[in-house]
Amino acid sequence: MRCPEEMEIKELPINRRIHVALKYISEHLNEKLDNNMLANHCGLARNAFVRLFSATMEESPQAFVRRRKIERACYLLHFSNLSIKEIAKELGFADQYCFSKTFAKLQHNSPSRFRKSHMSFKSDYSC
């Protein structure tokens, strides 16, 4: 997985409420972000929010949140010295097990193996 900074930039959704949701998600990745809370933040009913978000972003709000958290985790595993437990806590996962399970499901690799496989690159770019 590429770091979030390297990802292709999609054309931003036209709907202002989706802009609000994306900005809020980006700024609050360390929190539990459920659909009710996101919908309230955008001024929509939960079902309307889920339909609008899914149609605009081509994935559910929760799938998007999980993917963004794991992208951030990849960045932290590659560029920080935080432990896996600290990364799990920083990204708002209930515990390290839940984080590792989600990470493995999306990355097809454990967080520790991901970090080890990127260690050689890390030393090449150290300041």
Side-chain angles (χ1 to χ4, degrees):
M1 173 174 275
R2 295 177 289 172
C3 295
E5 292 78 12
E6 296 175 10
M7 292 173 43
E8 294 176 23
I9 299 173
K10 282 181 143 181
E11 185 175 317
L12 291 175
I14 295 168
N15 188 290
R16 178 188 60 81
R17 291 179 172 168
I18 299 304
H19 282 287
V20 169
L22 294 175
K23 186 174 193 281
Y24 188 84
I25 290 167
S26 184
E27 293 171 353
H28 295 89
L29 277 177
N30 61 324
E31 300 172 16
K32 184 178 186 312
L33 299 169
D34 66 41
N35 289 339
N36 286 326
M37 189 270 307
L38 292 171
N40 287 337
H41 188 74
C42 295
L44 291 168
R46 186 183 63 80
N47 289 342
F49 169 73
V50 170
R51 279 192 304 273
L52 179 61
F53 191 97
S54 298
T56 304
M57 300 304 295
E58 300 178 351
E59 65 184 325
S60 74
Q62 291 307 302
F64 180 83
V65 167
R66 274 190 304 277
R67 184 172 57 79
R68 291 295 293 135
K69 285 184 180 224
I70 297 306
E71 288 170 354
R72 180 70 180 149
C74 289
Y75 180 84
L76 292 171
L77 287 165
H78 186 92
F79 293 106
S80 80
N81 291 322
L82 294 173
S83 70
I84 293 171
K85 185 176 183 176
E86 290 169 323
I87 292 171
K89 184 177 179 180
E90 177 156 328
L91 293 173
F93 284 89
D95 55 37
Q96 183 176 338
Y97 173 78
C98 182
F99 166 68
S100 294
K101 186 175 174 183
T102 302
F103 189 95
K105 185 175 183 180
L106 293 178
Q107 286 296 309
H108 310 290
N109 208 351
S110 71
S112 58
R113 284 188 182 148
F114 179 90
R115 176 171 267 168
K116 285 178 188 170
S117 70
H118 289 82
M119 294 277 288
S120 62
F121 298 115
K122 190 174 182 178
S123 62
D124 292 343
Y125 297 106
S126 298
C127 295

